[in-house]
Amino acid sequence: MFEAYKSSCLHMDYIGQATLINIIIRSFISQNLYEQARNFISKTTFPESASNNQFARYEYYVGRIKTV
């Protein structure tokens, strides 16, 4: 997933970036790796041109991480 995220960043694929950020965060949360998820969120920026659905999902995951 990280290779795909890196590739989407290099190609300026904002939809792919948003989707892959959410997939990576969801993967961390499903494995109870909240610290790694928090570090990943702090080092990435969510693309502004992403869809509202992806942004809502991202905010949901960020809320879950901050709660734990």
Side-chain angles (χ1 to χ4, degrees):
M1 287 299 160
F2 288 109
E3 287 296 320
Y5 175 69
K6 180 180 166 184
S7 176
S8 67
C9 288
L10 292 174
H11 293 291
M12 302 242 187
D13 177 17
Y14 299 119
I15 296 169
Q17 286 179 28
T19 304
L20 287 165
I21 286 172
N22 286 331
I23 290 171
I24 292 169
I25 294 170
R26 182 180 60 202
S27 174
F28 282 140
I29 290 173
S30 70
Q31 297 174 13
N32 292 324
L33 300 172
Y34 290 96
E35 188 64 29
Q36 282 93 343
R38 187 183 64 80
N39 288 336
F40 180 73
I41 287 172
S42 69
K43 295 186 184 337
T44 59
T45 55
F46 196 79
E48 293 179 10
S49 62
S51 70
N52 288 336
N53 294 338
Q54 291 296 332
F55 184 69
R57 185 172 289 132
Y58 175 76
E59 288 295 319
Y60 169 74
Y61 291 143
V62 169
R64 278 188 65 183
I65 291 166
K66 288 183 178 180
T67 301
V68 172

